[in-house]
Amino acid sequence: MGGESVGDGIPDAAGDTVELMYRPVAADFTAALRARHKVGRLGWLQRWAPYVVGVGFVAWAALFVARGESPPVGWTVGLLLALAVLLSPWLSGRQLQRLSDAQGVFRATVTEDGLTLANDTSSSSLTWAALPRYLETPRLFVLLSADPNATGFTVLPKHGLPDRASADRLRGILDRNITRC
């Protein structure tokens, strides 16, 4: 019966397939990197360090100003470094988007067995063992490797789905096969 339930024409869960076609944009990668920070072992540091350092440097500079002195140049460098860390997901997202532009349109096929990705220059197939967990954001699904810092990840943007029902079917496949973070 080719994965269809008898009589209703709707694929059963065991034979479900979801296909996506998309061209990644910088916002997809930025959202994926920010989501990855939520599960990575050092993610809390990457999220909070810029704020802590920034507040510390502002307080330090305020002490100099209160004493009528000008703060050393080093504090400006520190603030710029804190800002760079804060903006790193956005900057990295733009870089990743530029790299993906050369690969053309992405096509992803998600089944109970795993994920197949193809674009104009390459293709690969992954079993769920390679990406055993995932996160969902309002704009995408982020499939994550098992290592503590989620070094490897795959982005499946919702704008690549043909319709809203496909997001529910994709979520169902992921929930049956890997762990939601």
Side-chain angles (χ1 to χ4, degrees):
M1 297 242 145
E4 289 187 6
S5 301
V6 178
D8 62 9
I10 299 171
D12 62 21
D16 211 358
T17 298
V18 175
E19 295 183 354
L20 297 90
M21 186 178 301
Y22 55 94
R23 199 175 265 284
V25 296
D28 295 336
F29 293 115
T30 301
L33 291 167
R34 289 189 196 284
R36 191 183 80 167
H37 283 171
K38 293 178 183 175
V39 298
R41 190 182 323 175
L42 296 176
W44 67 271
L45 181 63
Q46 292 169 319
R47 280 193 317 269
W48 292 104
Y51 299 109
V52 171
V53 170
V55 168
F57 276 112
V58 168
W60 186 55
L63 287 174
F64 278 95
V65 171
R67 290 189 296 203
E69 303 171 18
S70 67
V73 174
W75 80 273
T76 305
V77 173
L79 279 175
L80 291 176
L81 288 174
L83 184 61
V85 171
L86 186 65
L87 293 176
S88 69
W90 179 77
L91 295 169
S92 296
R94 291 178 50 86
Q95 278 185 306
L96 289 169
Q97 191 259 326
R98 274 188 239 124
L99 291 171
S100 73
D101 277 349
Q103 297 173 15
V105 175
F106 283 69
R107 295 165 300 285
T109 304
V110 183
T111 67
E112 297 294 329
D113 296 325
L115 168 72
T116 301
L117 290 168
N119 57 47
D120 296 347
T121 62
S122 65
S123 66
S124 63
S125 293
L126 302 165
T127 65
W128 293 122
L131 300 164
R133 55 197 179 135
Y134 83 98
L135 287 166
E136 182 177 358
T137 73
R139 87 176 284 121
L140 46 87
F141 293 90
V142 184
L143 285 60
L144 304 163
S145 61
D147 65 282
N149 288 316
T151 304
F153 65 96
T154 299
V155 179
L156 298 175
K158 292 179 182 178
H159 62 82
L161 293 164
D163 53 41
R164 283 184 168 227
S166 295
D168 293 333
R169 288 187 13 248
L170 176 55
R171 189 178 304 105
I173 293 171
L174 297 176
D175 284 339
R176 285 189 296 277
N177 293 285
I178 60 179
T179 304
R180 183 190 298 240
C181 296

